[in-house]
Amino acid sequence: MVICMASLLPRLAAAYDYDIATGKVIVASSDPYIIYGTSTVNTITVKTGVAVANVTISNLNIQVTNRFLSAFSVASNATLNLSLVGSNFLMSGRYKAAIEVPAGATLNITNGDANGMLTAMGGGNGAGIGSAKDKKPGRILIISGHISAVGGPGGAGIGCGDNGGDGGVITIAGGTVVAQGGGLGENGCGAGIGGGNASAGGTITITDGKVTATGGTGDWPYLSGAGIGGGTYAPGGLISISGGTIFATRGASTAQDIGAGAESPEIGTNTFVGGSIKTSADAVLGAPVDAASHAAYLLVVSNAVDGTNNISMSLTNMQTGAVYSYAGAGHGDGDLNLYLYLPAGDYPTDSAEMLGFFVNANGASGSMTHNPSDWTDEQRTISALNVHGEAKVLTLIHPLGT
């Protein structure tokens, strides 16, 4: 049944206020809607022709199993501004995304209170947030809130479903985001963020927030998805990170933490200009570059955070003027390090002595003195750096970048 009349409650008299238990909700105007309650059969749909919908979900729980139903769907060419209050759970039937954002549609997610949370679980072959099987998604923007998105088998956590083409346009500008790609038995898998099985990553931009993304793995682990990027058989797409605290984990060793899924003949582009970017296996392909396409190299700064307090730091390349910045409290779980990707150059610091450890392209390792002129030409990645004292300049010289 479709609810046609709003029950106007005192807590927000200007809004349409619905209990999902009483029937399906069709969002038919730009007026504010508040939806709450529990159902296993009723769903929410932003109607065709609604240019901008404004919906708050408050302690909402929808778990549908019908394969033709999405818990929450947005019409193409509509924009949904979704606000989260309390703890919300959405789960769709087979082939469908928990929140379905088709090509041409836009989803903007914010928290309506300090504890706004959303768990979105896609049905088989569907994304957690994004598109259904065989469908390309639109634009997804996460501004704030605590978001957990789990792809159904073969679907991305955030992005497209199985065989959806690519992950659309995904931007994470804040909040806490945990995304898990879905495995698909003996077939391919989805990325945590990006493409479903046989689907490229699309355009993925992270400017802020705490992001944990894990690729899917199935019965055959070699057919796994990237943490951020492509599903099985597909490239990573265009990935840009300029801020935030990121931890990306591939589904299995055949995929990239950031980049292509397993069995992909193509790579993609990774542009890193800010943030702390941690990966489970240092598996990032294509090779990271800065905004000017200079090679960027991993620098792990030891004990850079205390595990509790936020810090704000920036490093300016004296040759190019480019600034690499990070703001946040670090990765947590006892990890006090920061993971920065810097091009070669001189960087002013407040440190007295630079001592560290390098790993070269062939996997050999050795100690690194504070004098960059002593570093060997074999060094490709500085994998650790301990900073202490009062020196003024850290010079990074890499044979693959100038």
Side-chain angles (χ1 to χ4, degrees), residues 36-335:
Y36 55 93
T38 300
S39 180
T40 59
V41 294
N42 297 321
T43 61
I44 305 168
T45 301
V46 176
K47 185 179 179 181
T48 300
V50 177
V52 178
N54 299 292
V55 177
T56 296
I57 55 176
S58 177
N59 296 307
L60 177 70
N61 187 327
I62 299 177
Q63 300 184 45
V64 293
T65 57
N66 186 312
R67 69 172 59 189
F68 302 110
L69 293 180
S70 174
F72 200 142
S73 58
V74 183
S76 182
N77 299 319
T79 293
L80 169 62
N81 296 321
L82 181 64
S83 179
L84 309 176
V85 173
S87 180
N88 302 278
F89 187 94
L90 301 174
M91 183 177 75
S92 290
R94 188 176 180 185
Y95 305 136
K96 294 294 189 176
I99 302 181
E100 202 151 299
V101 187
T106 297
L107 169 65
N108 303 318
I109 300 178
T110 59
N111 58 335
D113 65 18
N115 299 311
M117 301 175 61
L118 169 65
T119 298
M121 298 188 66
N125 306 99
I129 300 173
S131 70
K133 182 181 186 297
D134 299 326
K135 302 293 184 181
K136 183 176 178 177
R139 305 176 72 91
I140 299 166
L141 169 62
I142 297 174
I143 300 169
S144 57
H146 291 73
I147 315 296
S148 177
V150 181
I158 301 173
C160 72
D162 182 9
N163 197 40
D166 66 53
V169 179
I170 303 166
T171 302
I172 299 175
T176 299
V177 178
V178 178
Q180 170 69 58
L184 189 57
E186 298 179 355
N187 297 304
C189 303
I193 299 173
N197 175 45
S199 306
T203 301
I204 303 168
T205 303
I206 301 174
T207 63
D208 202 355
K210 188 168 186 178
V211 179
T212 302
T214 305
T217 184
D219 294 342
W220 292 356
Y222 67 88
L223 297 178
S224 60
I228 301 174
T232 307
Y233 309 113
L238 301 176
I239 301 170
S240 175
I241 300 176
S242 60
T245 306
I246 293 92
F247 184 29
T249 301
R250 58 192 181 179
S253 61
T254 50
Q256 303 298 316
D257 293 319
I258 301 177
E263 302 289 311
S264 173
E266 302 177 63
I267 299 173
T269 301
N270 297 313
T271 303
F272 298 164
V273 297
S276 182
I277 307 167
K278 179 180 179 180
T279 61
S280 66
D282 294 335
V284 181
L285 194 70
V289 296
D290 68 3
S293 297
H294 299 136
Y297 299 87
L298 173 63
L299 182 69
V300 181
V301 183
S302 300
N303 297 314
V305 296
D306 62 11
T308 302
N309 298 302
N310 287 327
I311 68 164
S312 179
M313 62 174 291
S314 62
L315 293 171
T316 301
N317 187 306
M318 295 173 65
Q319 280 69 38
T320 66
V323 178
Y324 191 105
S325 60
Y326 173 75
H331 293 268
D333 294 327
D335 185 355

